Each structure stands twice: as C-alpha cells, then as structure tokens.
Amino acid sequence: MSTVKNYLSLIKFSHTIFAMPFAMIGFFLGLSYNPIFAFNYLSTSKSGWHTTIGMNNYYSMPLSGTAIIIKFILVLICMITARSAAMAFNRYLDRNFDAKNPRTAIREIPAGIISANSALLFTILSCILFLITCFFVNTLCLALAPVALFVILFYSYTKRFTALCHLVLGLGLSLAPIGAYLAVTGEFALLPVLFSFTVLFWVSGFDIIYALQDEDFDKSQQLHSIPAALGKARALRVSELLHLLAAACVITAGVYGHFSLSYWIGVGVFIGMLIYQHSIVKPTDLRRVNIAFMTANGIASVVFAVFVLLDIFIHH
C-alpha cells in the first residue's frame, strides 16, 4: 500500500479534480446526442447545438446501456493514464530542479522515495496503456492519441524556453472535455470545444498564480514563467485576463447550448471562485496561494460540473 500511495503522490492524483469533471461534461454531452437519451429532446427541439453535428451517422449506431458503461470506463482509464504519464514525466524531467528548490525538495524523486528510472518506466507504461485504451475507444481517438501524448509530455520541457508554459499546461488539460466527447460520438462539435477553451484559460490562469511561489527560484535557474518574466503584480493581471476569458467561454457555452437555470447556477459558482482566488492572493502576500490553487479551483470545477450534468440530464 505504501508503494501505491507513493506513486499516487508522485502524480498528484488529487489534482485529477481539475480536469476530470470537465471530461464528465464532455462525456455526457456526447451521450445527450445518443438516441437512447436524446430522442425526445432532439425530436422536439427546433434549435440547438446538436443540429450542428452529423446526426445521421450517429443515429444509425446508438450506444446500448452496456456499451455506454464500457465507454465510460475506457474514458476514465484514458484520463487517469494520460495524466499519470504527464505528471510522472514532469517529475522525472524536473528532478534536478526539484532537488534545488526548498519547496519541491520533498517530492518523491529528490527525496529518494521513488527512483528516477522507476518514474520513467511508470511514464512509459502509462503511455502504452493510454494508447491501448484509445484503440478500444474508437478510430478517431486512436489517431489523435499520439497528438495528445505529445502535448501533455511536451509541457514538461516548456519552462526551459518559454514563459508561455502555463498555456501549454492549460492546452493539455483542455483536451479532457473534447476528448471525452469524441470518445462517445467520434465527431467534433463546437460546444465541447468551448468547454475546452474554458479549461485552457482557467488552468493557465491558476497555474500562473501557483508559479508566483517560484519566481525567484525560476530566475536563479534560468527557468521561464510569467511571474519570472513580468513580476508578481503583472503576472496576476495576466492571470485575471485569462480567467476573464474562461468566464466568457462558459457564458458563451451556456448561450450557445441553450442551457437552463441549473447551468447558470454552476456558472455563478465557477466565476465566483475565480473572483475569490484573485481576492486572496496579492503580490506581497502569497500565504493563501494553496487555498486559491487547490480549494477554490477544486470547488469551481466540481460544483460547475455537477450543475452542468444536472442540466444535461433534466433538459438535454
């Protein structure tokens, strides 16, 4: 059990709370397009986002209840293995920097709890399992799987050459809602893409807040980040702009998707948590960065997803 606990800590399994709820949004949006669930809604709706994607193809192949359960499990495995690969690789690649940084020296590799080679092997096995799982999802997901792996693994290199590394992290996590939607439908649609843009801007913004802690260290090691490039005060302004864009995306998604009251309650909580985290973190006071990073964003993601899913089940 201790070994399992160590690897869960290595990959920060608790941080799954950020992207997984949005993956569930993408998955159930896809299901709402399935004839088993969506027949009444689609046959009576005169306008809606469903009409913008190829209905004829998917209507001929409705998913059975068993197939839905299997698909759901496959999506969960994809999410877990992709994220595990990304985090383990990040810890492997940054092990020397982590050892020098007092904040990160207690991490598993620099602390000697998990060896670098074991972390790399874990990364490789996670990538293989991710690709195998995508094979069983559908052809499109399998074709796009190498692209997804490239994005999430490439992120670990970006702090070495660009301050835009936060956006690459956001891009990696933004694959969750559209990826889950593609797993169900095998087709692209605008609404899940809007949720992906929400994740992109939201994650990029709060990663900048988290990176405020390492401004001095990053400069000393010639690592790149928005705080290291612009300073704490201006970095927070960039974070606020990104979160403003995230708010605009969830509002646009709500209007475009013809969502009802439940969705807008979720939007209120989500935007409220964005405002809250910026109210408690100041350039001269970083004591509550972890509250802003983990607590506020965890609440934002989970509560928003709950209300979106409630709206989908009731109205879509």
Side-chain angles (χ1 to χ4, degrees), residues 223-241:
L223 294 173
H224 299 267
S225 69
I226 294 293
L230 302 179
K232 292 183 177 67
R234 285 189 289 179
L236 281 171
R237 301 293 83 76
V238 174
S239 176
E240 289 169 359
L241 174 61

Side-chain angles (χ1 to χ4, degrees), residues 9-303:
S9 178
L10 174 75
I11 63 173
K12 289 291 183 183
F13 189 77
S14 60
H15 291 185
T16 306
I17 197 172
F18 299 135
M20 185 67 81
F22 279 89
M24 295 301 97
I25 290 174
F27 183 84
F28 286 102
L29 278 177
L31 278 190
S32 72
Y33 177 40
N34 188 294
I36 291 178
F37 294 94
F39 178 79
N40 290 334
Y41 171 76
L42 291 176
S43 62
T44 58
S45 177
K46 295 182 180 180
S47 65
W49 65 275
H50 293 280
T51 60
T52 66
I53 51 185
M55 289 168 37
N56 292 335
N57 177 51
Y58 204 72
Y59 253 69
S60 64
M61 296 182 295
L63 291 173
S64 67
T66 301
I68 290 170
I69 294 173
I70 293 173
K71 191 79 73 172
F72 182 77
I73 293 172
L74 291 174
V75 168
L76 288 179
I77 295 174
C78 284
M79 285 291 300
I80 292 170
T81 53
R83 193 188 173 283
S84 297
M87 284 300 301
F89 187 64
N90 179 263
R91 295 295 188 256
Y92 168 79
L93 204 63
D94 285 356
R95 63 192 185 280
N96 293 328
F97 293 119
D98 287 344
K100 298 176 183 178
N101 187 342
R103 186 181 66 82
T104 59
I106 60 173
R107 287 175 176 172
E108 286 69 25
I109 297 179
I113 298 172
I114 294 175
S115 70
N117 287 339
S118 295
L120 181 59
L121 178 60
F122 182 82
T123 300
I124 294 170
L125 292 176
S126 295
C127 289
I128 292 172
L129 185 54
F130 173 73
L131 292 171
I132 292 173
T133 306
C134 287
F135 172 81
F136 290 103
V137 173
N138 59 43
T139 303
L140 180 58
C141 287
L142 178 60
L144 294 176
V147 178
L149 284 178
F150 173 79
V151 171
I152 63 177
L153 297 178
F154 176 67
Y155 157 71
S156 295
Y157 288 99
T158 54
K159 284 195 70 172
R160 289 155 171 79
F161 63 87
T162 178
L164 299 179
C165 52
H166 315 283
L167 289 169
V168 181
L169 176 63
L171 178 63
L173 269 67
S174 75
L175 301 177
I178 187 60
Y181 181 87
L182 290 174
V184 179
T185 67
E187 299 174 339
F188 284 94
L190 180 56
L191 187 55
V193 170
L194 286 172
F195 286 120
S196 285
F197 274 108
T198 298
V199 175
L200 167 61
F201 297 130
W202 167 58
V203 171
S204 301
F206 75 64
D207 190 58
I208 291 174
I209 294 176
Y210 190 71
L212 293 171
Q213 304 171 98
D214 293 329
E215 178 193 358
D216 294 334
F217 178 80
D218 288 347
K219 288 179 179 178
S220 71
Q221 300 298 313
Q222 295 184 317
L223 294 173
H224 299 267
S225 69
I226 294 293
L230 302 179
K232 292 183 177 67
R234 285 189 289 179
L236 281 171
R237 301 293 83 76
V238 174
S239 176
E240 289 169 359
L241 174 61
L242 289 167
H243 282 165
L244 182 63
L245 291 172
C249 285
V250 294
I251 292 171
T252 302
V255 174
Y256 180 70
H258 303 283
F259 287 101
S260 59
L261 178 61
S262 298
Y263 179 89
W264 294 107
I265 294 174
V267 169
V269 173
F270 184 81
I271 294 177
M273 287 297 100
L274 297 183
I275 296 172
Y276 171 71
Q277 63 189 276
H278 286 282
S279 72
I280 64 174
V281 177
K282 306 297 180 184
T284 57
D285 184 3
L286 303 181
R287 290 175 299 171
R288 291 186 284 183
V289 163
N290 285 327
I291 295 176
F293 173 72
M294 189 68 192
T295 306
N297 289 299
I299 293 172
S301 179
V302 172
V303 174

